[in-house]
Amino acid sequence: MSQPSRVAAVREAVWERHANPKSGWSRVASLPLLMLAIYRRDERLLVGTVLFVAINPVLFPPPSDDDAWMTRVVYGERLWLEHGNRWHPIQLLNVCNAACTIYAVRAAVRRQPVRTAVATAGAMALKFLFVAFVADYYDRHAADVTPE
């Protein structure tokens, strides 16, 4: 197997395993845990959260079907990216999410609990708007994809 096909095979395996709804739903708590770790200066929680986020996409087996909403989220994001939508206006949600997350980190470092909580909630709400969009995208376009 050539190097590019190995990379493609690994990428495919990661996408498939990440599509397990346990992967997506368990990652939902990662941002609040990260903010808590920063706010409390808890190095163990910080390292544990970062490690969990890093290995999460390969912790779970691939799903057997696409019935779960979170599975359709992952498949939808992949399909949306494969269709060349990286610069679609919906990306504004991710840009705003990043800004909220940066603000949340700043507030956590400064130990401003209300600002940390509000910015974290805002970032999560923006992320959920984006993932709802890509799940819907999958529902609308998955039938258009020809099996390999």
Side-chain angles (χ1 to χ4, degrees):
M1 189 182 297
S2 69
Q3 189 64 21
S5 59
R6 281 187 193 142
V7 170
V10 168
R11 185 176 295 129
E12 176 70 23
V14 170
W15 272 109
E16 280 301 313
R17 295 174 74 88
H18 184 45
N20 185 312
K22 292 176 185 173
S23 176
W25 286 117
S26 64
R27 286 174 62 110
V28 169
S30 64
L31 185 60
L33 285 175
L34 183 64
M35 292 306 118
L36 180 63
I38 293 168
Y39 183 87
R40 292 179 54 197
R41 313 302 197 257
D42 187 330
E43 291 178 17
R44 290 178 65 192
L45 181 58
L46 179 65
V47 170
T49 303
V50 170
L51 285 175
F52 175 76
V53 169
I55 65 170
N56 174 283
V58 296
L59 285 178
F60 305 97
S64 57
D65 56 44
D66 65 357
D67 291 345
W69 182 77
M70 191 58 82
T71 297
R72 294 194 314 277
V73 164
V74 174
Y75 287 163
E77 183 174 16
R78 182 176 185 188
L79 187 62
W80 187 71
L81 291 170
E82 287 174 353
H83 286 174
N85 291 313
R86 283 174 176 80
W87 303 115
H88 188 279
I90 201 69
Q91 280 289 29
L92 184 58
L93 291 172
N94 283 333
V95 171
C96 293
N97 173 354
C100 278
T101 302
I102 290 167
Y103 185 83
V105 168
R106 180 177 174 265
V109 166
R110 293 181 175 191
R111 289 193 166 157
Q112 298 170 320
V114 173
R115 291 179 183 190
T116 302
V118 169
T120 300
M124 292 182 72
L126 290 163
K127 179 54 95 177
F128 272 112
L129 287 172
F130 176 77
V131 298
F133 170 83
V134 292
D136 182 64
Y137 188 90
Y138 178 77
D139 291 341
R140 289 183 286 121
H141 296 285
D144 301 341
V145 178
T146 55
E148 295 180 13

